[in-house]
Amino acid sequence: MNDDRLRDLLEKMTLEEKVGQMVQISGEFLEKGSVLTGPMLEKGFTNEAICLAGSVIGIQNAATMRRIQKNYMERHPHEIPALFMMDVINGYRTVFPIPLAQGCAFEPDLSEKCSSAAAREAASSGIHVTFAPMADLVRDARWGRVMESPGEDPYLNSLYCRAMVRGFQGEDIKYSGKIAACVKHFAAYGAPVAGRDYNTVELSENTLREFYIPAYDSGIKAGAEMVMAAFNTVNRIPSTGNKWLLKDLLRKELGFDGVLISDWAAIEELIAHGYCNGRKEAAEKAFGAGIDIDMMSGIYSEHLSDLVRSETINEKEIDKAVYRILRLKNRLGLFEHPYKDAGEEEEKKYFLCQKHRKLALEAAEKSCVLLKNEGEFPLKIGRKTAFIGPYVNTNKLTGSWSFTGDKKEIVSIKEILSEYPEYTENITCMQGSPMIEFDMELKGFDEEEKEKISGDEIEKMLDDAEEVAKEAQSVVMFLGEHFLQSGEAASRAYITIPSVQKRLFDRVYNVNKNISVVLFSGRPLDIMDISRKANAILLAWLPGTEGARAIMNILTGTAAPEGKLSMSFPWSVGQIPIFYNSDSTGRPYDNHIQQDRFRSRYLDIPNEPLYPFGYGLTYTSFSISEVVLDRTRISRGEKICASVLVKNTGRRTGIETIQMYIRDLVASVVRPVKELKAFKKITILPGEEKTVCFDIGEQELSFYKSDGRYGCEEGKFRVYIGTDSRTDNFKEFILE
Ligand code: BGC
């Protein structure tokens, strides 16, 4: 439909019909069996409002979508099709590693492909918009939703956000297999105080702009059709009603012109925040801040029309919002093809197809991070090995958002062993313990987990595991958080493996010190004790559909680990929030030199995390030369080239991620001690040397200065090049 016709349509619509477009209801109102991802409040939805609601959340199959769309359009006065939206986070039926794991691959292009595959499958089920990517920067591992973010670095997150938007949307969302992306949660949802979900966010404007905004901005620049406002406050104003945030910053400064949606029931939550005195005021404030679609509070359908009639809201403003929504429907081609790609044949063709499975395997292999390895991995053929732990025996290898992923299609480590016949006869598998304590209950979006294993049964499991461990030459333990211990509303104060698994680890360690660990998790964990005792640790995160195969490929050496941490693993919870790009203090502490006692440090633990950002080992080793600069002074507009010579000093071909960090030594505002500005992944043969160069110009040296403007300042800079954020390999240059 051309734009004139779209505007004609808008003109013909009544006020109620227009407001209807701004209302989102859950599939539940239309069909049983949809997924609920938030609380169901008492809704103010009348039958008429349901008939006019412009979008639906949570429908997840083609047949249902087609039926709903048909009925809906038949009833709708202008036959306007509904938009179908859902959370397609890290895959649909084929599940890829959780976004935090994908961040560790340091390969945004790979995530673009994963998002594109997810879009293909979701589009087949009739989904038009996904509530992804989540661009929230994360620094606090207590927060359960760190699993949904690529990590703690603004540069890396920006690359990922752009890649994912491109993957979902492709060249044009009208094309077959493409869906619209929604960048979320604007803004700074990833910074709740004390890591407690939905909690207050308290940031300076400078920190907000410099660390948190870039990833959203990059998704918007990549053409994301939608943005979701966050639940949290920013500067004491809830984002959903924050005019400065949504109008001045998002719309005017960042130039976002697409549809702005609230989070689930967030307009209603303006009342609980104590920011609005009732539903009517909440409607007025959310609309006044620029929210186009009300997700699941019913408040817009209840109050917007009256607010227009009482002249509190100007209908012209409503028209602008509705135009954006209709334009999105039009860009998706829904006026001509209201079912777009939805079809059972399509579902059969794309769900878990070979191409997607292959991609899921590649992504899972590349996102595993080898944290420690004292010669344990790859496993040795012919060595009597015990595989012990609850993750040996489970197919629950996906994150909490993967409710559309079919667990029946996922095999466990134990099941996949038969594909590795040279190892099978020497490996004994044993569950050893339940995943979580027998009295712990966990709730997901569509499932509830309570393991019904009694205390006595657990003791027996532990005894059996100990026996098997005694007999083995080495033990690999498959341990970790339950997949429902991370995700939304899954903040934790003790970020350890479940205590029953800790008991299992201790029992096994007591009888066999040749112990290594494959760790599963949706967040960085406190693994200090495991890290001291285990000879090797492979971090598998929640690796998705092909997780077991990826892990076995790595353990057997068919593949080598190459992931790098995109979020620091803390020494202990007491360090949190911890991130590599922190500011220098006036009393910096250097544990390599003797210093007086009045320093910025802990008395009982180091300042450094256990495993830092950018860190990860592989099956070979590398040496890196000193940094070489092609000049030591540059002027504005010029570039300097910094290079290193990287040599593979081991015996197998390896992949290394060479990282370049900048430090601005003196500036009008205090600068971070290091900031990632570029990285390159290279493959090197044994004995081979490769030169890796990075160009540095104004872009890499810019920041928000004391006058609030973005740019760089003259003076001295350090360029660090290394294989993780701890690198001390630097040279200095001057910007004149
Ligand atoms: C989450 C969003 C999600 C929405 C819809 C909310 O609870 O915060 O990230 O997109 O539910 O499922």
Side-chain angles (χ1 to χ4, degrees):
M1 185 185 285
N2 68 28
D3 198 56
D4 289 343
R5 283 188 52 205
L6 202 65
R7 290 196 184 272
D8 283 349
L9 171 63
L10 181 61
E11 244 173 61
K12 284 188 200 125
M13 290 168 76
T14 63
L15 179 58
E16 274 69 22
E17 288 162 9
K18 288 191 244 182
V19 168
Q21 292 300 312
M22 302 171 71
V23 173
Q24 178 158 102
I25 54 169
S26 81
E28 237 235 351
F29 286 97
L30 306 159
E31 191 89 13
K32 282 212 171 79
S34 72
V35 169
L36 294 180
T37 61
M40 281 298 280
L41 308 166
E42 280 307 307
K43 305 288 179 222
F45 293 120
T46 59
N47 265 343
E48 198 202 357
I50 291 171
C51 290
L52 291 178
S55 56
V56 180
I57 175 175
I59 293 295
Q60 28 170 338
N61 74 73
T64 314
M65 181 273 181
R66 292 184 76 99
R67 193 169 55 246
I68 292 177
Q69 186 74 305
K70 183 167 176 289
N71 291 341
Y72 176 85
M73 287 176 68
E74 279 169 8
R75 280 190 315 228
H76 195 278
H78 304 280
E79 288 173 43
I80 298 177
L83 269 175
F84 288 74
M85 308 195 189
M86 223 187 77
D87 295 273
V88 180
I89 308 294
N90 49 299
Y92 188 68
R93 283 296 274 274
T94 309
V95 181
F96 301 101
I98 53 169
L100 186 58
Q102 291 187 35
C104 295
F106 271 63
E107 214 173 300
D109 290 352
L110 180 61
S111 288
E112 180 172 338
K113 288 186 200 150
C114 296
S115 303
S116 171
R120 176 82 263 179
E121 294 187 8
S124 310
S125 284
I127 289 154
H128 305 135
V129 181
T130 172
F131 298 124
M134 183 179 108
D136 303 317
L137 186 101
V138 290
R139 294 172 160 183
D140 192 328
R142 292 170 298 184
W143 192 48
R145 297 192 80 170
V146 302
M147 52 89 65
E148 267 178 86
S149 163
E152 74 185 39
D153 185 68
Y155 171 70
L156 191 64
N157 286 16
S158 301
L159 298 182
Y160 270 91
C161 190
R162 181 176 71 193
M164 289 176 174
V165 169
R166 285 181 179 167
F168 290 126
Q169 297 196 164
E171 295 275 293
D172 191 331
I173 50 172
K174 225 186 217 101
Y175 293 165
S176 166
K178 291 297 154 199
I179 59 178
C182 172
V183 169
K184 68 187 188 185
H185 307 81
F186 199 81
Y189 179 44
V193 168
R196 203 179 71 224
D197 208 357
Y198 319 123
N199 201 10
T200 309
V201 167
E202 189 57 59
L203 295 173
S204 71
E205 190 176 327
N206 188 290
T207 300
L208 175 71
R209 284 177 182 278
E210 191 158 322
F211 290 94
Y212 289 82
I213 298 297
Y216 308 114
D217 188 29
S218 138
I220 290 163
K221 298 235 156 57
E225 292 286 347
M226 197 182 273
V227 167
M228 185 187 293
F231 285 125
N232 55 276
T233 57
V234 168
N235 251 332
R236 299 212 124 115
I237 313 277
S239 304
T240 311
N242 194 324
K243 225 183 220 166
W244 172 78
L245 189 72
L246 302 181
K247 286 204 157 153
D248 298 349
L249 183 58
L250 177 66
R251 291 266 188 225
K252 286 202 200 107
E253 247 188 79
L254 306 184
F256 177 64
D257 177 38
V259 175
L260 181 56
I261 190 166
S262 78
D263 204 338
W264 183 290
I267 300 184
E268 164 117 24
E269 290 168 20
L270 293 176
I271 303 165
H273 271 293
Y275 185 63
C276 294
N277 189 13
R279 289 169 70 85
K280 193 166 183 182
E281 192 185 345
E284 191 188 332
K285 287 232 170 102
F287 183 77
I291 300 282
D292 296 328
I293 299 182
D294 169 5
M295 184 198 293
M296 288 302 291
S297 84
I299 283 183
Y300 272 11
S301 80
E302 206 179 318
H303 291 291
L304 274 192
S305 304
D306 282 346
L307 285 165
V308 172
R309 279 190 280 269
S310 65
E311 295 183 1
T312 316
I313 288 175
N314 186 330
E315 191 165 350
K316 288 213 163 51
E317 292 302 310
I318 298 272
D319 287 351
K320 285 185 197 160
V322 177
Y323 172 74
R324 283 191 285 267
I325 297 164
L326 294 177
R327 188 183 57 188
L328 174 56
K329 294 185 176 187
N330 196 32
R331 284 183 180 162
L332 283 156
L334 296 183
F335 288 103
E336 291 80 18
H337 305 286
Y339 306 108
K340 201 167 181 282
D341 303 306
E344 286 170 279
E345 285 307 311
E346 308 293 298
E347 290 181 325
K348 272 194 211 120
K349 183 167 164 197
Y350 294 114
F351 283 0
L352 292 148
C353 64
Q354 268 321 98
K355 189 175 154 207
H356 294 176
R357 277 190 177 272
K358 213 171 140 223
L359 193 59
L361 177 64
E362 182 185 351
E365 285 177 356
K366 288 185 164 173
S367 51
C368 286
V369 186
L370 185 63
L371 296 176
K372 181 175 178 184
N373 192 17
E374 288 171 359
E376 291 291 332
F377 299 151
L379 299 173
K380 292 165 197 65
I381 296 173
R383 200 159 188 227
K384 206 164 176 261
T385 306
F387 276 15
I388 301 178
Y391 268 104
V392 170
N393 234 348
T394 182
N395 60 357
K396 294 182 177 168
L397 301 177
T398 61
S400 62
W401 278 106
S402 304
F403 44 76
T404 45
D406 192 345
K407 296 216 171 49
K408 289 197 294 299
E409 297 289 343
I410 303 178
V411 293
S412 67
I413 295 282
K414 188 175 173 184
E415 285 160 341
I416 211 151
L417 270 184
S418 59
E419 291 184 20
Y420 303 82
E422 352 41 316
Y423 292 85
T424 334
E425 64 177 299
N426 290 306
I427 293 178
T428 313
C429 288
M430 174 96 346
Q431 188 181 327
S433 83
M435 190 68 81
I436 44 176
E437 294 71 33
F438 73 98
D439 55 349
M440 186 184 268
E441 257 176 68
L442 290 169
K443 283 203 175 102
F445 294 126
D446 63 347
E447 53 195 317
E448 205 159 315
E449 290 270 325
K450 186 170 178 177
E451 293 196 60
K452 292 174 191 65
I453 303 180
S454 71
D456 288 347
E457 283 167 319
I458 292 177
E459 294 312 314
K460 168 89 172 62
M461 289 173 98
L462 294 170
D463 291 345
D464 291 349
E466 193 179 293
E467 282 312 306
V468 169
K470 263 190 210 155
E471 300 297 314
Q473 288 172 284
S474 63
V475 182
V476 184
M477 301 205 66
F478 293 75
L479 306 173
E481 275 189 322
H482 189 288
F483 81 101
L484 290 178
Q485 287 183 297
S486 61
E488 187 170 350
S491 296
R492 299 181 67 202
Y494 299 106
I495 50 170
T496 53
I497 59 169
S499 59
V500 65
Q501 293 188 43
K502 183 66 189 26
R503 279 185 68 204
L504 173 65
F505 178 83
D506 289 341
R507 290 280 296 269
V508 170
Y509 181 73
N510 272 343
V511 296
N512 195 331
K513 301 283 183 280
N514 287 326
I515 197 168
S516 46
V517 169
V518 178
L519 186 67
F520 296 79
S521 174
R523 56 157 62 78
L525 292 174
D526 172 350
I527 52 164
M528 175 51 81
D529 189 51
I530 290 177
S531 169
R532 276 201 196 111
K533 292 174 179 161
N535 298 332
I537 303 173
L538 179 71
L539 172 63
W541 298 111
L542 291 163
T545 304
E546 292 291 330
R549 185 170 285 111
I551 291 164
M552 280 311 296
N553 283 352
I554 291 177
L555 292 185
T556 56
T558 312
E562 60 181 81
K564 297 280 186 174
L565 287 181
S566 60
M567 191 174 179
S568 311
F569 260 58
W571 188 275
S572 84
V573 178
Q575 282 182 329
I576 289 177
I578 181 152
F579 43 96
Y580 82 95
N581 44 8
S582 56
D583 291 347
S584 179
T585 67
R587 295 188 177 189
Y589 177 68
D590 182 341
N591 54 16
H592 300 297
I593 48 175
Q594 197 68 35
Q595 286 175 306
D596 62 65
R597 87 165 263 242
F598 298 97
R599 294 276 147 188
S600 178
R601 58 173 296 205
Y602 299 101
L603 290 180
D604 45 0
I605 57 169
N607 285 357
E608 289 71 36
L610 182 62
Y611 297 112
F613 176 84
Y615 170 84
L617 307 169
T618 184
Y619 289 158
T620 184
S621 50
F622 303 94
S623 67
I624 296 209
S625 72
E626 279 186 13
V627 177
V628 177
L629 300 180
D630 66 346
R631 55 217 288 199
T632 50
R633 290 176 174 272
I634 51 167
S635 306
R636 283 171 190 275
E638 291 180 342
K639 292 211 178 224
I640 191 167
C641 170
S643 61
V644 287
L645 195 61
V646 184
K647 184 174 182 184
N648 182 343
T649 52
R651 282 200 296 263
R652 73 178 265 172
T653 301
I655 293 177
E656 182 53 287
T657 304
I658 307 297
Q659 301 156 41
M660 190 270 281
Y661 297 86
I662 291 285
R663 176 169 186 178
D664 187 343
L665 287 171
V666 182
S668 61
V669 293
V670 172
R671 305 300 306 141
V673 292
K674 263 180 205 144
E675 291 176 277
L676 181 71
K677 292 295 175 181
F679 58 86
K680 283 185 184 163
K681 253 181 128 163
I682 49 168
T683 305
I684 329 186
L685 303 172
E688 195 191 358
E689 288 183 321
K690 275 191 179 169
T691 302
V692 181
C693 304
F694 296 99
D695 281 338
I696 304 160
E698 283 188 50
Q699 194 189 328
E700 285 72 29
L701 308 180
S702 293
F703 60 95
Y704 285 97
K705 299 178 287 183
S706 59
D707 60 7
R709 286 204 227 144
Y710 192 73
C712 54
E713 292 174 352
E714 283 142 25
K716 210 187 245 183
F717 293 84
R718 268 186 193 173
V719 49
Y720 291 84
I721 304 182
T723 55
D724 65 55
S725 62
R726 271 182 322 206
T727 178
D728 225 4
N729 189 25
F730 71 86
K731 279 279 158 51
E732 291 180 357
F733 68 91
I734 290 171
L735 173 71
E736 298 179 318

